[in-house]
Amino acid sequence: MKDLQSKSQWLFVMVAVAAITMVSGSATIWTSAEAQEGGGLPEGFTKGNLAALPSAEMVEAGKRVYFTKCVWCHGVDGAGDGPAADRLWPRPRNFNQGTFKIRHTASGELPLFDAKKPIPGQNDLFETVTHGLPGSAMPSWEGILTEEQRLQVLSFVTSQLVKDRKFDDKETETQTVLQLDGIKPIPPTEESIKKGSELVVDKKCIECHGVNGRGDGNAFNLKDDWGFPIQPADWHKCWNFRGSRQDPYEVKNIFRTFSTGVNGTPMPSFADNTTIEERWHIANFVQSLCERDVNGEPLPIDPLTDKPKVNFVIRSGPVEGDISDDPENEMWTKRERRIVLFGGQITHKPRNFVNRIDDVWVKSLYNDKEIVFLFQWDDRSKSVATEKLPFEPTEVNLDQYGIKEQASKTGEPGSIAAQQNQYTVYNDAFAFQFPVKWQELPAPIKPRFLWGDQKYPVDIVKWDANGTIKAYAGTGWDQDFEDRDDFTEKLKVLKQEWKDGRWTLMVSRPLKGDYDEDTKFEMGKYIPTVFFAWDGHNGDIGRKMAVSAFYYTIQEPPIPKETYIYPTLIAIGVVVLEGWVLTRRANKKKGKTL
Amino acid sequence: MKTLIGGLLGGAIILVLALLSVGILPATSLKLVEGYMPMQMLFELGISVLVFALMSRLLSMGGISLPRFWQGILFWAFILLYLKFRVYPPIPFSVRAMYGTVALIAVFMWMSSNEEDWKKFKQPILNVLDAGTPFHKALRTTYLIALPIILWGYSYNSFLPNLDEPVELRTVHPAPPASTKVHGKTFVLQTSQNPYRVNPEGKYDQEYTNSKIVEQAMGRLLKPEANPWDEKAEGYLKYVREGGEIFFQNCHFCHGDNLNGRGLHAFAFNPIPANFTDPGTIAQLQETFIFWRVAKGGIGLPNEAFPWASVMPPWEQHLTTDEIWKVILFEYWHTGYYPRTWD
C-alpha cells in the first residue's frame, strides 16, 4: 500500500513535470541551449534574472511582521543578535551580509526571492520561512503567517536588513539557477548508491562528514563566516537537514544542497567538479544512509516536530540461555529497535540549552537471570576526561566547581555558539533510571523524571566512557547520588565501542535485586524508565546533560498457550459450520428435486 | 442523455474517491466546511446514490447489467471507502464500524425489498454453494479452505498480548491553591495583580493594556501604533518587550517561537509543552494562575497533573518575581488574549 502510494505519487509528479515542460517547453530548451553555448556555467544551471524589488507597501507591512515574530532572535538590525541569540547554537542568521544557506543559486550568490512568486523551487527564502530549518530553532511559519505575510516579511528583510548587498543590483549580482525540475533524477538503485559511496571518498566529503557520514570528520575545526564553530551534518539524521523542506527522505533536496553548497559555511558547491550524474549518485547514497525501519522503509516523521514518531514502550524480548554480547548476532539484529528522543535538561540549573545528543536507539533482551540493553547513539567525538575530576562522581551540585549554565546576555564573544568546542572535556556518559518498589506506587504516581524524590527513590545505572558502570540511588534532582555497591557488582558492560561517530553500549543488569533498593522486574509489567546522556565534548557533567521523557520498559511475555488454542478452536468451529451449511443445502435441494 | 451524464458523473465520483484512497489527492484537498459536515456528507452520499442509479441504467442500456448481488456489495464498499478516505479529519474506527453496519443493514433492506430482488441477490451465493459449474466448484473449495485460515489468523492476532503504551489521564489545568509564596512573599491568587499591567499613569488598567495587544487576526501581528520595539515605547509596551526578551532567553526552547508549544526541545518531552495560542490555555486562565504555574513549575503541580513527568522549571529558581510578571504580560500580548478576571 505504502509502496503503491509513493509510486503513484511519483507518477503524478512525472505527469505534472511533463505537462509543465510541454507548456514552457520552448523557453526551457532555449535557455539550456544558450547555457551550453555560453559555457562557464556549471552543469544543470542556467542564467536567471534578478527579480524586481518588492513594493514599498510590502516592505512596510513586512516590518510589522518582523517586529512581532522575528526580532526576538534576529535582532532589531537583523544582525542575528536578538535576545534569544546567545543561548542558541546554531546562532540565528545575521541578515546584514546577505548570506543565506539554502538556495537554488550558485555558490556565493543571493538566494531566489520574488515577492510576487511564492512558487516552490523558485523562491528559496519563501520556502525557508514556510518550512523552517529543521534541526535549528527556526520553525515552520506555515499556518502561522499567511502566504502574503511571509512574502511581506521577506520583502522587509531583503530590502532593509540585508545591508551589504542589493537584490536588484545588476552590476554586482548575478543569478545562476539550478534547474532542479528540469533534471531527470537517477533512481536510487543499488548500483547508483554504490557509486555514490565511492564518490564521497573521491570528492573528500568524508573529510568533514566522517567515514560513516555521522558528521564526525573534521568536526572540531570548522567555522562559519562569522567565526562561530559549526558542525558537519550527520547523514543518518535526515530530519535534521536544514534544507530538507520538511520532506527529509526526498533526495532532490540533497542534490540541491550538494549542487549549490551552503553559503557562509565550509560546505562548498560541487557543481563545478561533478557531473549531474555523479551528483545524483552521491545524493542517493547520502539519502540511503538516513535511518530506516526494519523493512528498510523511511521512518514515519511527525509533521508537528519534524522528528521520527516516538513509541514510548521499550519491549524486551525473551531469550533462552545466554544473551550474546555481539550486536551483529541474529538475536540482536532481529530485535525491533525503538528511538528515544532527548531534549536538553532545562529544568534546573545548570540548564543545558544545547544538547548535542538528541536521540538514542534502544533494543533489549532478557533471560531468566538478566535483562540486557543495547544503546546506540551518534556522538561526533569520543570523550574521556584526561584529568582526575575535582569532585566525586556522586556529586550533582557542581556550581562551586564552575559548572555554570550559559548566561542569557553575553554578546557574541561569550555566546553558546562561540563557546562550542572550547569546553573542558568530561566523560561521555549514559544512564537510565527505574523506580524502586514500583509495585507499591499508587497509580499513576511515578518518581520524578529527574532522579526521583525523597518519597519515591529511583534505581540509577550510570555508565562512563572510561569504562566504569555504577548503581546509584537517586532521591531528588539536587541530592547527591548514593552508591549501591552491592548492585554495582552485579552490573556488566558487555560491550562499549565508539566507532565513526557512534557509540554502541551494551549493559546487563539482574532482573531481580534487593526489593528495597533495586528495581525488580516482573513479566509483562510496565516499568517507567528515563534515559540520560552526557556528551563530554559539550562540557556535559552533572545536571548539564540530555534527558528523555518517561518511557516504559516491558518484558515481553512469551506467547501464552491460549493464543494458539482459542483460534484453533474457532477455526474448527468454522469448518463444522461450513459442513452444516453444505449438508443443509444439499438436503434441501434433494428434497426439492425429489 | 441524462443517464449518460449521470454515468460520467458516477465515474468521476469513483475516480475522486480512488485518488483519495491511494493518497494522490491529499485528504485535506476537498475540505468539508466546519460545522456543516453531516449535511454535506448526506448531500454527497445522496447525489452519489442518484448518480449510481443512472449509471447502472446506462450500463444495462449498453447491455452489460451488473448483477444485483454485486450492486449491493459494491455500494457497501463505496460507503466504507467514503467514510475512511473522504471524511477529513478522519473518524475513528469504532464510529466507522457503526456506520458500516448501518449501511450493511440498509443494503440488505434494499436487496430484500421484494421477493424477486431477494432471489436475484441470493442467486450468486446459492450458485457457489451448489457448485454446479467447475468455476463455482473451484470458488467453493477456495472459500471452504480460506475461511477457517483467515479467521484463525485474525483471532490469533487479537489474542496476542497487547503491549501498547498504558493510557493515563492527566489534568492539564488543576485547581490552584488559594495563595502561593514566591521569593519570601505571599501572593493571594484572588487579589494579586500583575504590577506591569498599567496605563501611562501607572495604574493597573486592563482596558488600556488590552487595547495594545496584537490583533486577533491571522498571523496575530502587532498594532502599528503599539510596537514594543519602538525606541519611544514606554510603560506597558516597554514591559512587554522586556518580558519578550526573558521569554526568548528562557521559555521559547519548549513553548516555541510562536508560543504554540513547538519549541526546540518540545519534541522530546511528554506531556508536550502548553500551546498558548490555543484558546484553551492562557485565554481561559487568570493571570495569577499563570503566575503560580510559572513560579512553581512542574514539580509544584498537584498529583492529578503528573508533577513527576513535567519538565517545566520552577521559575522561581531562575527568574525574579518581576521577571515572571513581565513574561506573563508578554505571553498575553503576543497571543492577543485577555487574561480571565475573577468577576
Side-chain angles (χ1 to χ4, degrees):
Chain A
M1 182 68 197
K2 192 109 200 175
D3 198 21
L4 179 78
Q5 197 166 325
S6 64
K7 259 184 201 153
S8 47
Q9 273 170 345
W10 187 232
L11 194 75
F12 180 72
V13 171
M14 296 285 277
V15 171
V17 168
I20 292 166
T21 327
M22 259 149 65
V23 173
S24 61
S26 52
T28 316
I29 291 162
W30 179 76
T31 41
S32 58
E34 185 201 44
Q36 274 157 15
E37 277 164 29
L41 287 188
E43 214 185 329
F45 287 77
T46 60
K47 274 266 166 268
N49 295 321
L50 295 172
L53 281 190
S55 65
E57 292 85 64
M58 287 286 278
V59 174
E60 192 53 33
K63 192 174 168 187
R64 211 178 139 201
V65 182
Y66 187 86
F67 281 98
T68 319
K69 309 286 183 188
C70 319
V71 66
W72 309 101
C73 289
H74 293 286
V76 184
D77 273 324
D81 58 353
D86 288 350
R87 279 179 171 170
L88 287 178
W89 187 55
R91 268 181 82 89
R93 180 90 326 200
N94 180 344
F95 298 133
N96 297 167
Q97 293 76 19
T99 307
F100 294 94
K101 283 183 169 175
I102 312 300
R103 310 167 330 280
H104 279 78
T105 56
S107 185
E109 290 186 341
L110 289 170
L112 298 178
F113 174 66
D114 187 335
K116 294 199 184 81
K117 252 200 320 196
I119 303 167
Q122 299 180 30
N123 201 329
D124 295 324
L125 294 181
F126 178 76
E127 280 187 275
T128 296
V129 172
T130 300
H131 296 294
L133 297 171
S136 83
M138 175 75 177
S140 152
W141 292 96
E142 193 176 21
I144 294 168
L145 296 173
T146 63
E147 214 171 81
E148 183 71 8
Q149 287 165 342
R150 279 174 261 160
L151 291 171
Q152 286 167 351
V153 73
L154 283 166
S155 301
F156 174 71
V157 169
T158 51
S159 62
Q160 304 291 308
L161 300 180
V162 173
K163 300 189 174 176
D164 300 351
R165 299 171 78 164
K166 285 272 159 279
F167 270 69
D168 68 333
D169 190 339
K170 290 204 173 69
E171 310 247 307
T172 54
E173 302 299 343
T174 50
Q175 298 262 269
T176 316
V177 187
L178 179 68
Q179 299 299 325
L180 198 48
D181 283 339
I183 302 172
K184 197 170 158 257
I186 293 175
T189 56
E190 233 168 83
E191 195 198 346
S192 165
I193 290 170
K194 187 166 172 295
K195 280 185 187 160
S197 71
E198 289 156 8
L199 280 164
V200 294
V201 181
D202 244 28
K203 303 290 172 192
K204 303 202 164 57
C205 306
I206 59 166
E207 276 190 10
C208 292
H209 291 282
V211 180
N212 236 325
R214 296 188 193 273
D216 59 312
N218 196 2
F220 291 102
N221 300 314
L222 301 177
K223 295 213 162 139
D224 67 12
D225 279 7
W226 297 268
F228 294 112
I230 191 169
Q231 55 186 357
D234 180 344
W235 292 342
H236 295 256
K237 300 184 187 184
C238 54
W239 51 88
N240 282 343
F241 287 176
R242 304 286 186 274
S244 68
R245 303 306 191 205
Q246 297 181 294
D247 190 5
Y249 289 89
E250 173 57 65
V251 75
K252 266 183 157 184
N253 291 320
I254 304 169
F255 181 92
R256 184 208 56 232
T257 301
F258 189 71
S259 296
T260 63
V262 181
N263 281 358
T265 77
M267 171 76 185
S269 154
F270 285 81
D272 287 324
N273 57 6
T274 50
T275 63
I276 284 184
E277 200 188 314
E278 287 175 325
R279 277 181 249 157
W280 279 120
H281 293 324
I282 290 175
N284 283 336
F285 170 68
V286 170
Q287 197 261 2
S288 77
L289 287 183
C290 193
E291 299 287 354
R292 281 167 160 74
D293 69 10
V294 276
N295 303 319
E297 294 291 330
L299 300 174
I301 300 287
D302 186 335
L304 291 182
T305 63
D306 296 323
K307 305 278 177 192
K309 282 187 182 158
V310 174
N311 185 314
F312 288 100
V313 180
I314 312 277
R315 295 177 178 190
S316 186
V319 169
E320 303 237 340
D322 290 339
I323 296 172
S324 167
D325 60 1
D326 176 13
E328 296 308 314
N329 185 294
E330 212 184 33
M331 70 172 72
W332 284 110
T333 50
K334 275 192 170 166
R335 189 73 214 147
E336 177 188 28
R337 61 176 191 167
R338 287 272 151 91
I339 192 168
V340 169
L341 298 178
F342 283 124
Q345 190 285 110
I346 43 176
T347 306
H348 299 289
K349 282 182 178 168
R351 290 173 289 171
N352 190 11
F353 299 105
V354 171
N355 56 305
R356 294 215 266 201
I357 301 169
D358 58 359
D359 58 42
V360 57
W361 289 94
V362 185
K363 289 182 183 181
S364 178
L365 292 172
Y366 72 90
N367 59 19
D368 50 345
K369 295 186 292 292
E370 57 177 352
I371 179 163
V372 180
F373 291 93
L374 172 63
F375 303 108
Q376 291 185 298
W377 70 96
D378 287 8
D379 180 342
R380 288 180 169 81
S381 56
K382 176 181 182 175
S383 330
V384 180
T386 45
E387 285 163 32
K388 197 182 174 304
L389 303 179
F391 37 82
E392 293 300 315
T394 49
E395 280 181 81
V396 296
N397 298 308
L398 307 175
D399 346 357
Q400 73 262 41
Y401 305 103
I403 310 295
K404 291 223 163 69
E405 67 181 33
Q406 177 66 33
S408 57
K409 263 187 188 166
T410 54
E412 289 190 6
S415 71
I416 281 192
Q419 299 273 304
Q420 287 299 320
N421 304 339
Q422 292 174 28
Y423 294 106
T424 310
V425 176
Y426 300 112
N427 288 326
D428 284 336
F430 196 88
F432 47 100
Q433 85 173 29
F434 306 112
V436 176
K437 290 193 271 190
W438 55 268
Q439 295 89 336
E440 292 171 28
L441 293 177
I445 290 180
K446 302 180 180 81
R448 192 154 183 257
F449 75 98
L450 198 54
W451 304 336
D453 39 50
Q454 299 283 352
K455 207 169 162 198
Y456 303 113
V458 291
D459 164 324
I460 300 170
V461 171
K462 183 168 181 248
W463 163 88
D464 267 67
N466 61 11
T468 57
I469 188 159
K470 279 193 137 184
Y472 299 107
T475 51
W477 65 274
D478 54 350
Q479 300 298 312
D480 289 345
F481 286 1
E482 290 160 37
D483 275 321
R484 289 188 293 133
D485 290 331
D486 287 354
F487 202 65
T488 295
E489 286 167 19
K490 297 175 191 157
L491 299 173
K492 272 182 288 186
V493 177
L494 299 181
K495 186 182 177 71
Q496 72 170 65
E497 180 188 43
W498 183 89
K499 193 162 174 275
D500 299 332
R502 164 164 274 205
W503 270 111
T504 299
L505 170 68
M506 201 190 284
V507 173
S508 155
R509 53 167 288 150
L511 275 176
K512 317 269 175 208
D514 176 66
Y515 181 80
D516 289 321
E517 289 192 354
D518 319 318
T519 303
K520 283 187 117 172
F521 278 77
E522 265 176 49
M523 186 80 73
K525 298 287 186 194
Y526 293 94
I527 318 281
T529 315
V530 185
F531 302 92
F532 310 90
W534 290 261
D535 176 0
H537 269 82
N538 196 34
D540 288 3
I541 189 86
R543 274 192 302 269
K544 187 167 184 288
M545 61 180 175
V547 59
S548 80
F550 268 111
Y551 285 71
Y552 293 99
T553 306
I554 184 167
Q555 277 176 272
E556 236 173 61
I559 296 170
K561 284 199 189 85
E562 290 83 4
T563 317
Y564 299 103
I565 295 172
Y566 289 125
T568 311
L569 285 179
I570 288 171
I572 292 171
V574 172
V575 172
V576 172
L577 199 71
E578 281 174 355
W580 179 74
V581 169
L582 283 180
T583 338
R584 199 160 164 242
R585 176 67 191 157
N587 285 343
K588 201 170 173 192
K589 246 175 94 184
K590 237 186 258 166
K592 257 185 197 165
T593 43
L594 274 173
Chain B
M1 189 60 206
K2 262 185 220 155
T3 43
L4 185 69
I5 294 171
L8 287 176
L9 217 59
I13 290 175
I14 290 169
L15 184 71
V16 168
L17 192 65
L19 289 177
L20 277 170
S21 61
V22 293
I24 291 178
L25 255 172
T28 44
S29 55
L30 298 165
K31 282 208 179 93
L32 293 165
V33 183
E34 223 171 303
Y36 296 91
M37 208 166 94
M39 265 146 75
Q40 276 180 79
M41 275 171 59
L42 284 178
F43 176 73
E44 283 185 12
L45 285 175
I47 293 278
S48 305
V49 169
L50 202 73
V51 165
F52 287 151
L54 289 171
M55 216 171 139
S56 110
R57 238 184 97 193
L58 186 75
L59 281 175
S60 59
M61 270 159 63
I64 13 167
S65 68
L66 204 58
R68 203 21 78 87
F69 177 71
W70 289 111
Q71 281 182 8
I73 298 277
L74 284 177
F75 184 71
W76 190 52
F78 171 79
I79 298 277
L80 293 184
L81 288 174
Y82 180 91
L83 290 173
K84 179 151 169 63
F85 293 107
R86 168 67 183 104
V87 184
Y88 191 90
I91 34 183
F93 175 76
S94 54
V95 178
R96 276 206 327 267
M98 245 159 60
Y99 290 160
T101 317
V102 171
L104 187 67
I105 292 168
V107 168
F108 257 110
M109 281 162 69
W110 165 37
M111 290 298 146
S112 57
S113 53
N114 61 56
E115 192 58 30
E116 199 186 340
D117 277 357
W118 181 234
K119 254 193 196 146
K120 271 194 214 161
F121 177 75
K122 278 196 307 191
Q123 201 51 51
I125 304 174
L126 295 179
N127 286 346
V128 172
L129 277 179
D130 294 343
T133 64
F135 169 71
H136 281 134
K137 191 159 189 184
L139 207 60
R140 189 175 78 174
T141 321
T142 320
Y143 277 134
L144 287 182
I145 296 170
L147 214 57
I149 294 176
I150 291 170
L151 276 171
W152 188 91
Y154 182 77
S155 48
Y156 172 77
N157 270 335
S158 54
F159 270 104
L160 277 179
N162 173 17
L163 299 180
D164 290 343
E165 191 188 340
V167 178
E168 289 174 343
L169 296 176
R170 172 176 176 264
T171 307
V172 182
H173 304 305
S179 67
T180 183
K181 200 171 169 185
V182 179
H183 295 137
K185 197 175 162 215
T186 302
F187 294 84
V188 178
L189 265 56
Q190 286 251 21
T191 55
S192 293
Q193 289 176 335
N194 190 334
Y196 296 101
R197 190 171 286 289
V198 291
N199 58 21
E201 287 85 54
K203 289 259 164 53
Y204 182 86
D205 189 342
Q206 284 237 10
E207 209 173 315
Y208 170 80
T209 55
N210 286 346
S211 71
K212 301 281 182 194
I213 58 176
V214 302
E215 273 173 14
Q216 195 51 274
M218 189 63 192
R220 306 186 195 214
L221 301 182
L222 55 80
K223 295 188 178 120
E225 71 285 0
N227 180 357
W229 285 88
D230 194 321
E231 281 164 22
K232 285 172 276 179
E234 280 295 326
Y236 169 74
L237 280 177
K238 186 169 142 263
Y239 302 138
V240 164
R241 191 184 73 223
E242 288 165 3
E245 289 177 359
I246 296 155
F247 183 91
F248 277 90
Q249 284 159 1
N250 295 283
C251 319
H252 86 97
F253 295 97
C254 291
H255 293 287
D257 301 27
N258 201 47
L259 286 66
N260 57 359
R262 284 165 60 179
L264 200 49
H265 295 285
F267 65 85
F269 298 131
N270 179 25
I272 53 168
N275 172 2
F276 302 142
T277 60
D278 184 301
T281 59
I282 61 171
Q284 293 292 321
L285 299 164
Q286 294 88 8
E287 224 171 355
T288 48
F289 182 98
I290 314 284
F291 179 79
W292 163 64
R293 292 293 301 108
V294 172
K296 298 299 172 187
I299 201 171
L301 285 164
N303 273 351
E304 69 264 28
F306 294 13
W308 50 85
S310 167
V311 301
M312 170 85 164
W315 287 100
E316 55 183 351
Q317 289 180 7
H318 305 281
L319 302 176
T320 65
T321 306
D322 286 346
E323 285 172 329
I324 295 174
W325 282 121
K326 281 179 187 169
V327 165
I328 297 168
L329 202 68
F330 168 76
E331 285 168 4
Y332 281 104
W333 175 82
H334 194 278
T335 51
Y337 288 132
Y338 308 151
R340 208 165 144 190
T341 48
W342 287 99
D343 33 67

